[in-house]
Amino acid sequence: MSVPIPGADCTLDELMVVTFSRAMSNDTRAFNGAVSYIPVCGYLLARKTHAPDLVWAASSIGIDADPPALGESTLSDSIWEGSTMLSNSPFDFWTYAQGAIYNTFAFRGAQIDRYGNVNNTVIGSFDEPKVRLPGGGGMADLSTMTPRIYIWSTTHNPRTFVDKLDFRSGMGWGNGGDHRALLGLPGGPQLAITSLCVMDFEPESKRMRFKSLHPGVTVEMVQEATGFEVLVPDGEIPTTDLPTADELRILRVEVDPTASRLREFA
Amino acid sequence: MSVPIPGADCTLDELMVVTFSRAMSNDTRAFNGAVSYIPVCGYLLARKTHAPDLVWAASSIGIDADPPALGESTLSDSIWEGSTMLSNSPFDFWTYAQGAIYNTFAFRGAQIDRYGNVNNTVIGSFDEPKVRLPGGGGMADLSTMTPRIYIWSTTHNPRTFVDKLDFRSGMGWGNGGDHRALLGLPGGPQLAITSLCVMDFEPESKRMRFKSLHPGVTVEMVQEATGFEVLVPDGEIPTTDLPTADELRILRVEVDPTASRLREFA
Amino acid sequence: MTKVRNLEDAVAMVPDGATIAIGGLSMNATPMAFVREVIRQEKRDLELLAIVNGMAIDWLVAAGCVRRVIAGLVSFEGLGLAPNFRRAVQAGTIEFEESSEHILISRLQAAARNLPFMPTKAGLGTDVLGINKGRLRVDSDPDTGEQYVAALPLPVDIAVVHVHEADEHGNARVNPKLIWMDSEVVNAATTTIVTTERIVPHRSFTAEPHRTTYPRFMVDAVVPAPWGAYPTSSFPEYTHDKSFYEEYVAAAGSGREEFELFFKNRVAGPATHAEFIDANGGAGKIIEIRRRTS
Amino acid sequence: MTKVRNLEDAVAMVPDGATIAIGGLSMNATPMAFVREVIRQEKRDLELLAIVNGMAIDWLVAAGCVRRVIAGLVSFEGLGLAPNFRRAVQAGTIEFEESSEHILISRLQAAARNLPFMPTKAGLGTDVLGINKGRLRVDSDPDTGEQYVAALPLPVDIAVVHVHEADEHGNARVNPKLIWMDSEVVNAATTTIVTTERIVPHRSFTAEPHRTTYPRFMVDAVVPAPWGAYPTSSFPEYTHDKSFYEEYVAAAGSGREEFELFFKNRVAGPATHAEFIDANGGAGKIIEIRRRTS
C-alpha cells in the first residue's frame, strides 16, 4: 500500500527509506533481521549514494550482498546474491556483533516507548497473553551489543507508540538517562523514523524529541498519535527533507525494483 | 636410534607404539600435539588393527587423516593427507575438546611425577630458569578437559621421573587421591608407557604402579631409574606383551615407513 | 557399520517427552521431512527447541506433539504469524520459554563445552531476563563491576539438522558451508540425526575435507531425504515455497474445520515426503522452487 | 581506496612498544616476510604474542626487537628448541609470559567480544594459573560450586596474519579455509595487516563468497608477499624448509660469531624477501618446498 506524500513526487515508503539512508554514514557496519525492508533498502541506497564503503550483512550472513531485488523475506538466503563473504553465524556474526564491529542495528516493534525500547513479545501479560507476538529473536541481544540503534515504524499510532510497554523485548535507552551506560552498554538509539515524523532523543533524559515532521504532518497530529509526550526542541521543527530525484531513481530501479518495501505497509 | 628388545624381533620404539596402540579402543577419539610420534603411530596402528572406528585428528585438525608417511613434525599440515575433515581450530577443535568429545590425550614431558603430572616449562625456578623448555602449549588446557590421558616417555631415568616437578605444565592426577575430581575435571591418566615399563595408577592414591615390565627389565632397574617409589601390585608383574608379526608389519610398512618414530629416541 | 536409516526408523529414535532441537533458521534449511514423520508417528510431550523458526513449530503444535517450545522468534516473517503456535500459547495449552538468539546460543555452548555458564551481554536491561530465571543469572565481574548475563547450560537430547550430502559413516556437509546456528544444537545434543539431500561416497569427503561440516563422530544417524527441507529452503538448491506459506495462513484463518482439512490433505496425510510434495504441486513445484546455484 | 601497501610501509605502521600478534602455528603459515622487515626496520620494545610459534619469535629476539613474549609453546618441534629465545629468557634479557593455548584464546575472545572474561577449565590444577595472576582468575560458579578459570581480556594492537589471496579492499582468504587460531588474534586486534601470496580481483571473492576468511572491514592493510610464509609453510602450496631450521639450529650451536654471520647472511641481510630466498637456495628451494595441492 503506497501512501503519497503531499506536494512531493514520492511516497511514504520512499521518504522513510531515504531518511534512513541519509542517517547512515560511510563507516556504518550493519546487518538485519526479519521483516526489515526499510533499513535494508536504506543500507543499499546509502551504499549506492553517499556511503560507498558502508557494510551491510544481508540477513546477518551475506556481507556486501547486492541482490537484484528483494523478496518476501529479509532473513532468507534469497538476498545473499553478490556477497563477498557468506559469514558463519555462530563464529563470525556473533563475534562481530558482540565486539561492536557491526555498529548499526535497526529494529521496530508492536510497541515502542519514549526511550526507544520495543516490545515484540506479547500484548497483555507474558503468562496470559492477549496476543502472542513473534518474539524478540535477536533483539534482546543485538540491542545491547550495538552502539548505533535506529528505530522505524510504519504505524505511528497510539497502539504502537505507548506510554508503557507490555514487555521490553529490545533495549533502547532503557529507563532513560544513564541507564544504558550504567549497564555497560554502548551507545543507544539515535533516531526513530516513523510514518509521521523523525525523532531523536534528548541527550539528558533520552526521551523522544521531534527532529522533523513529514510534509503535511503537524506536532498536534503526532502528539495525538503517540501515547506519550514527544519533546519539542527549541526553534522551529523542520520538515523532513525530501528525496532527490537521484535517490528515488536508485531506490526504485536498482535497490528495490519490486517494491518489497511496501510489505511493511500491509 | 633404534634399541633392540632382547629376545624379540622388534625394537623399543615398536614395542612402545604397539603397547600404546593396544591401550586404545574402538571408541577412542584422539588428537595430537607436537613431537608425538609414539601416540600418532599408536592411533594409526590401532585404527588399522583392532579399533577400526577410532578417531584421530592429525595435529588436532585433520580428522581421520591417513598420511602415507610421517615427517619431521606431528603438528604440521604435512600429516593431513587423506582427512575426511579439516576442522577449524577455534570453532570445531576447542568445542570437541572442551566437550570431551575428544576423549583421549597423550603427553610427555621433561619431568614426570608419580601422579602423572608433567613439566615442559622450566628446569629450576620459573622466574630464573636454569633451562627454559618449550612450554606447555595446550597441555594445561587439554589435560584438564580430556578424560583419558596417556603418558609416554622414551627417557625413563631419574632426570625425567622426579619426586617433585619444577613446574606443573600438564595436569595428571594432581596431588593424587580425589584432587582431579574435586576440581571438577573428568577422568585422568590411565597409563604411563616408558622406555622401561608400563605403569598404571593405583585407584585410591593415584600413584604410579607397575603394570608390566619390558623384556629384560627388572623392578630394581625401574626403581633405580625413577625419582619416586613405583608401587608394586599384588602378584607377579607380567612382561609387556610383544607385538605380533602383523602389528609390526603394519607399523613398519603402512603407518610409519620412514621410521619417524625414532625421532623420539634422539 | 552404516549409519544410514530410513525416515521411519530415525523418527522412532525419538522418545515421547524428549528435548528435541530442530535446525534451520526461519524459512531456511529446516528438516521438514523429519518433522512431518514425527507428526505421523504421533510423538507426544516433546520439548521443542527451534531458535528462530515458524513452520516446523506450527506443524508440531497443530498436531499435538508438543508440550513446550523454546525459541527466540516464531513467525512466517512477512508471510504471517504462526497461527497454531499463537493460539496454543494464548490458550495456555503449550508452555513457551521465550528467550533470545544469543542467550540460547550461549546456553547451548555452555552445555557443549562442559562449562557452568557462558557470559554474554545479551538481554541486559530487557524483560527477557526476568522470564528466564533459573536459566540465566545476572552477575557482575568482581574486578571491574561490569555486568553480564551468565547463560546456564541447555542440554539437548536429540538434534535434527538438514544437510546436502552425507556418507554412510555420518560425515556430513552443508553447501557451501555451515551458515546458520545448527552446529550449536549439534554440539549440545546427546544424539544427532542428519537428514540429507543425498548420500555420497566416502571419497567425496576425503576429496574436499575442508568442506565437511560435521565429522562422523558427531552424527548418529543419516537419513536420505531429497527435498527434505521443503517447504523451507535448502540454499543454494531450492528456495522456500511462498505459496505453501500463504495457503497455510489462509487456511488457518478460515476456521478450524478448513484448517484441519488443509492440514490432513496438504501436510500430515500423505504417506511419504514425495507424496507430500505431490499434494502441494508435485514436479511443477519442484521446478518452480529450484534456484540457480549461487 | 585501496588497502594495498608495500612491505616497508606496512611495517612502518608498527610503533616501537606495540603489542603485536603474529599468526600461524609452529612451522606453519607465519608471516615471515613481515617479521623479517620488522627486523630490518629495527623495531624495539615490542610485546610479541605468538600462541604456538618458533622461528618468528627466535628471529625477533635475536634481532633485539622484543621486550616481552606471550606464548604457549616456543620451539622448532623435533628440529630443536628456539635457541635465542631460550638464551634470552635464561639470561633474563626478555620477559616471558608463559600461558597455554586455550587460556590465550579465551583471553583474546574476551577482548574481541567486549566481555569481562571468558570461562574455561583450562589450567585448573596446574602451575600455569599461578604465573598468570592478574591475567586470569580462579572462580567458582555460585549455583553449582563448579570451579572455572576466568580468562581476562588480552587486547592486541596489531595482528599480522598470512593468507593466500586478498583483494584491494581487504577481503582475504586462507585456502582451503581457516584452520589455525589466526582469526582469534584478528578479532582481538585494533589493526590487522594481512600479508598475501597474491592479490586477486574483487570478483574472485564474489564468485566464491563462502571461502572468504576475513571480510574487508576486519583488514587495514594488504601486503603482497609471495612465498611470504617461507621458511614456514603455506598449506597447501608449499611446505616448511626443514634444512633452514636445521642449519639455523646448527649455527646457533656453533657460537655467537657463527650465528651472527648466519643471521646476517641468511636472515636479516638480504634487502628483499626474494633476495632472502635466494640466500637460502633460490629457485631450487622454491621448487623443493612446493607441494602438490591437496
Side-chain angles (χ1 to χ4, degrees):
Chain A
M1 198 188 63
S2 166
V3 180
I5 295 292
D9 184 25
C10 72
T11 52
L12 177 58
D13 53 295
E14 293 168 340
L15 181 67
M16 288 181 69
V17 168
V18 168
T19 304
F20 190 97
S21 162
R22 290 181 184 174
M24 300 299 108
S25 54
N26 204 34
D27 71 347
T28 294
R29 293 183 295 274
F31 54 89
N32 73 274
V35 201
S36 300
Y37 293 95
I38 301 289
V40 163
C41 289
Y43 299 137
L44 280 166
L45 180 59
R47 205 179 67 194
K48 287 170 194 280
T49 54
H50 65 283
D53 295 331
L54 175 147
V55 173
W56 167 56
S59 79
S60 304
I61 298 285
I63 294 171
D64 289 339
D66 193 15
L70 307 173
E72 64 269 8
S73 161
T74 58
L75 200 58
S76 89
D77 45 46
S78 38
I79 54 170
W80 293 350
E81 201 156 328
S83 296
T84 54
M85 176 170 177
L86 291 179
S87 60
N88 190 305
S89 175
F91 188 58
D92 302 315
F93 173 73
W94 286 104
T95 301
Y96 302 153
Q98 282 192 283
I101 288 164
Y102 286 146
N103 58 18
T104 300
F105 178 46
F107 57 58
R108 58 175 204 168
Q111 296 181 328
I112 301 172
D113 74 11
R114 76 193 74 212
Y115 300 115
N117 306 297
V118 306
N119 170 20
N120 213 29
T121 297
V122 285
I123 303 298
S125 78
F126 181 80
D127 287 324
E128 295 182 9
K130 220 170 83 190
V131 184
R132 176 64 235 182
L133 299 166
M139 208 180 256
D141 317 319
L142 298 161
S143 63
T144 64
M145 298 170 181
T146 313
R148 303 178 196 169
I149 292 172
Y150 293 85
I151 292 151
W152 86 99
S153 173
T154 57
T155 56
H156 195 145
N157 62 44
R159 282 207 325 181
T160 302
F161 285 81
V162 297
D163 185 51
K164 197 174 165 350
L165 301 178
D166 288 350
F167 190 94
R168 191 188 288 168
S169 320
M171 180 73 176
W173 290 109
N175 304 334
D178 289 342
H179 187 204
R180 217 179 140 91
L182 287 173
L183 290 173
L185 308 181
Q190 308 296 305
L191 291 180
I193 297 168
T194 81
S195 46
L196 295 178
C197 63
V198 180
M199 293 170 283
D200 62 7
F201 295 82
E202 191 277 315
E204 287 301 309
S205 66
K206 304 294 196 307
R207 285 172 57 189
M208 277 193 196
R209 179 176 72 175
F210 285 105
K211 187 162 195 293
S212 70
L213 292 159
H214 295 346
V217 176
T218 64
V219 166
E220 292 67 35
M221 284 165 69
V222 175
Q223 295 289 21
E224 231 166 86
T226 309
F228 53 84
E229 187 201 342
V230 180
L231 298 181
V232 177
D234 293 341
E236 210 176 337
I237 303 169
T239 301
T240 307
D241 289 332
L242 293 178
T244 64
D246 231 35
E247 287 170 321
L248 288 174
R249 183 187 53 76
I250 293 170
L251 171 59
R252 292 169 184 168
V253 178
E254 294 180 30
V255 168
D256 186 22
T258 58
S260 280
R261 60 196 179 274
L262 292 177
R263 291 174 181 277
E264 293 212 31
F265 295 82
Chain B
M1 194 188 66
S2 167
V3 181
I5 296 292
D9 182 26
C10 72
T11 53
L12 177 57
D13 52 296
E14 293 167 338
L15 181 67
M16 288 181 69
V17 168
V18 168
T19 304
F20 190 97
S21 163
R22 290 181 184 175
M24 300 299 108
S25 54
N26 204 35
D27 72 347
T28 295
R29 293 181 295 274
F31 53 89
N32 73 275
V35 200
S36 300
Y37 293 96
I38 300 289
V40 163
C41 289
Y43 299 137
L44 280 166
L45 179 59
R47 205 179 65 193
K48 288 171 193 280
T49 55
H50 65 284
D53 294 330
L54 174 146
V55 172
W56 166 57
S59 80
S60 303
I61 298 285
I63 294 170
D64 289 339
D66 192 16
L70 308 172
E72 65 269 9
S73 161
T74 58
L75 200 57
S76 90
D77 45 45
S78 40
I79 55 169
W80 293 349
E81 200 154 330
S83 296
T84 53
M85 177 171 178
L86 292 178
S87 60
N88 189 304
S89 174
F91 188 58
D92 302 316
F93 173 73
W94 286 106
T95 302
Y96 302 153
Q98 282 193 282
I101 288 164
Y102 286 147
N103 57 19
T104 299
F105 178 47
F107 57 57
R108 58 175 206 169
Q111 294 181 329
I112 302 171
D113 75 10
R114 75 192 75 211
Y115 300 114
N117 305 297
V118 307
N119 171 20
N120 213 28
T121 297
V122 286
I123 304 298
S125 79
F126 181 79
D127 288 324
E128 295 182 10
K130 220 171 83 189
V131 183
R132 175 65 235 183
L133 298 165
M139 208 180 253
D141 316 320
L142 297 161
S143 63
T144 64
M145 297 171 182
T146 313
R148 305 180 195 166
I149 293 172
Y150 294 84
I151 293 150
W152 86 100
S153 173
T154 57
T155 56
H156 196 145
N157 62 44
R159 281 208 326 182
T160 302
F161 286 80
V162 297
D163 185 50
K164 200 175 162 350
L165 301 180
D166 288 350
F167 190 94
R168 190 188 290 169
S169 320
M171 180 72 178
W173 290 110
N175 304 335
D178 290 342
H179 187 204
R180 217 180 139 90
L182 286 172
L183 291 173
L185 307 182
Q190 307 297 306
L191 291 180
I193 297 167
T194 80
S195 47
L196 295 179
C197 64
V198 180
M199 292 170 283
D200 62 8
F201 295 83
E202 190 277 315
E204 288 301 310
S205 66
K206 305 295 196 304
R207 286 173 58 189
M208 277 192 197
R209 178 176 72 176
F210 285 105
K211 186 162 195 297
S212 71
L213 292 160
H214 295 345
V217 177
T218 64
V219 166
E220 293 65 35
M221 284 164 69
V222 175
Q223 294 290 21
E224 230 167 88
T226 308
F228 52 85
E229 186 200 343
V230 180
L231 298 181
V232 178
D234 293 340
E236 211 177 336
I237 302 170
T239 301
T240 307
D241 288 333
L242 293 178
T244 65
D246 231 35
E247 285 169 324
L248 288 174
R249 182 188 53 76
I250 294 171
L251 171 59
R252 291 168 183 169
V253 179
E254 295 180 30
V255 169
D256 186 22
T258 59
S260 280
R261 61 196 179 274
L262 291 178
R263 291 176 180 276
E264 294 211 31
F265 295 83
Chain C
M1 213 178 49
T2 180
K3 288 179 181 164
V4 177
R5 299 285 176 273
N6 67 34
L7 193 53
E8 293 73 14
D9 291 349
V11 170
M13 292 165 68
V14 180
D16 285 347
T19 297
I20 178 169
I22 297 288
L25 183 132
S26 194
M27 300 197 286
N28 307 278
T30 308
M32 298 303 279
F34 191 95
V35 168
R36 224 182 56 88
E37 182 62 21
V38 168
I39 293 167
R40 290 184 53 82
Q41 292 193 15
E42 299 182 358
K43 298 293 177 186
R44 288 295 175 265
D45 295 322
L46 299 177
E47 183 175 58
L48 175 63
L49 166 65
I51 300 177
V52 170
N53 216 302
M55 197 55 82
I57 296 173
D58 210 67
W59 281 6
L60 290 165
V61 169
C65 304
V66 176
R67 169 177 53 87
R68 189 162 191 281
V69 171
I70 307 172
L73 186 72
V74 185
S75 85
F76 302 160
E77 295 187 59
L79 301 175
L81 298 164
N84 293 286
F85 166 79
R86 185 184 202 178
R87 258 195 299 265
V89 176
Q90 288 172 190
T93 56
I94 62 166
E95 285 174 59
F96 180 40
E97 174 182 330
E98 175 165 342
S99 192
S100 67
E101 284 181 39
H102 200 253
I103 288 172
L104 288 175
I105 289 174
S106 300
R107 294 188 61 206
L108 291 166
Q109 288 176 342
R113 297 172 190 183
N114 289 337
L115 293 170
F117 66 88
M118 278 289 286
T120 170
K121 299 288 181 78
L124 282 176
T126 72
D127 289 335
V128 174
L129 304 187
I131 57 170
N132 278 286
K133 292 208 171 85
R135 301 187 280 266
L136 51 77
R137 221 171 40 215
V138 180
D139 279 338
S140 61
D141 185 70
D143 290 338
T144 63
E146 205 176 337
Q147 282 195 55
Y148 65 93
V149 173
L152 307 185
L154 170 54
V156 167
D157 295 326
I158 299 177
V160 189
V161 294
H162 190 65
V163 305
H164 295 87
E165 280 137 18
D167 70 12
E168 62 169 5
H169 306 293
N171 296 298
R173 72 176 161 228
V174 176
N175 291 336
K177 71 167 184 178
L178 184 68
I179 300 291
W180 311 119
M181 297 173 275
D182 290 9
S183 55
E184 305 292 2
V185 294
V186 168
N187 289 338
T190 307
T191 298
T192 290
I193 299 170
V194 303
T195 64
T196 181
E197 290 290 326
R198 59 194 75 86
I199 304 284
V200 296
H202 178 64
R203 65 173 181 278
S204 169
F205 286 90
T206 51
E208 297 184 278
H210 55 285
R211 291 180 58 216
T212 306
T213 306
Y214 309 114
R216 63 183 166 95
F217 56 82
M218 297 301 287
V219 173
D220 299 278
V222 171
V223 181
W227 280 272
Y230 175 85
T232 72
S233 74
S234 183
F235 178 86
E237 300 181 0
Y238 53 89
T239 186
H240 62 274
D241 181 6
K242 180 187 169 191
S243 51
F244 180 88
Y245 278 82
E246 287 170 340
E247 288 159 39
Y248 184 96
V249 169
S254 316
R256 191 179 166 138
E257 264 177 55
E258 286 79 356
F259 180 77
E260 279 179 3
L261 193 66
F262 178 95
F263 198 73
K264 180 166 175 292
N265 292 339
R266 303 278 298 274
V267 178
T272 66
H273 196 63
E275 286 170 39
F276 161 61
I277 298 174
D278 272 337
N280 288 288
K285 179 61 68 180
I286 284 178
I287 290 165
E288 178 195 325
I289 62 174
R290 181 188 55 179
R291 42 181 297 165
R292 65 190 183 73
T293 296
S294 105
Chain D
M1 214 176 50
T2 180
K3 289 179 179 163
V4 177
R5 300 283 177 272
N6 66 34
L7 193 54
E8 293 74 12
D9 291 349
V11 170
M13 293 166 66
V14 180
D16 285 349
T19 297
I20 179 170
I22 296 288
L25 184 133
S26 195
M27 299 198 285
N28 308 277
T30 307
M32 298 303 280
F34 192 96
V35 168
R36 223 182 56 87
E37 181 62 21
V38 168
I39 293 166
R40 290 183 53 80
Q41 291 194 16
E42 299 181 357
K43 299 291 177 186
R44 288 293 176 268
D45 294 322
L46 299 177
E47 183 175 58
L48 175 64
L49 166 65
I51 300 176
V52 170
N53 215 303
M55 196 56 82
I57 296 173
D58 210 68
W59 280 7
L60 289 166
V61 169
C65 305
V66 176
R67 169 177 52 89
R68 189 163 191 280
V69 171
I70 307 172
L73 187 72
V74 186
S75 85
F76 302 159
E77 297 186 57
L79 300 176
L81 297 165
N84 293 286
F85 165 80
R86 184 184 203 178
R87 258 196 298 264
V89 175
Q90 287 171 191
T93 56
I94 62 167
E95 285 173 60
F96 180 40
E97 174 183 328
E98 174 165 342
S99 192
S100 66
E101 285 180 39
H102 201 253
I103 288 171
L104 289 174
I105 289 174
S106 300
R107 294 188 61 205
L108 291 166
Q109 287 177 340
R113 297 173 190 182
N114 289 336
L115 293 170
F117 66 88
M118 278 289 287
T120 171
K121 300 288 182 78
L124 284 176
T126 72
D127 290 335
V128 174
L129 303 186
I131 58 170
N132 279 285
K133 291 209 171 84
R135 300 186 282 264
L136 51 78
R137 221 170 42 215
V138 180
D139 281 338
S140 61
D141 185 71
D143 290 337
T144 63
E146 205 175 335
Q147 282 195 57
Y148 65 93
V149 173
L152 308 185
L154 170 55
V156 168
D157 295 327
I158 298 176
V160 188
V161 293
H162 190 65
V163 304
H164 296 87
E165 281 138 18
D167 70 13
E168 61 169 5
H169 307 292
N171 296 299
R173 72 176 161 228
V174 175
N175 292 335
K177 69 166 185 179
L178 183 69
I179 300 292
W180 312 119
M181 297 174 274
D182 290 10
S183 55
E184 305 292 2
V185 294
V186 168
N187 288 338
T190 307
T191 298
T192 289
I193 299 170
V194 302
T195 64
T196 181
E197 290 290 326
R198 59 193 75 88
I199 303 284
V200 296
H202 178 63
R203 66 172 180 278
S204 169
F205 286 89
T206 51
E208 297 185 278
H210 55 284
R211 291 180 57 215
T212 306
T213 307
Y214 308 115
R216 63 182 166 97
F217 56 81
M218 298 301 287
V219 173
D220 298 280
V222 171
V223 181
W227 281 273
Y230 176 86
T232 71
S233 75
S234 182
F235 177 85
E237 299 180 1
Y238 53 89
T239 186
H240 63 274
D241 181 6
K242 179 187 170 192
S243 53
F244 179 88
Y245 277 82
E246 288 171 340
E247 288 159 41
Y248 184 97
V249 169
S254 314
R256 193 180 165 133
E257 264 176 55
E258 286 78 356
F259 180 77
E260 279 178 5
L261 193 65
F262 179 94
F263 198 72
K264 182 167 173 293
N265 292 340
R266 301 280 297 275
V267 179
T272 66
H273 195 64
E275 286 171 40
F276 161 62
I277 298 174
D278 272 338
N280 287 288
K285 180 58 69 178
I286 283 178
I287 291 165
E288 178 194 326
I289 63 175
R290 182 187 54 179
R291 41 183 297 165
R292 67 189 181 72
T293 296
S294 104

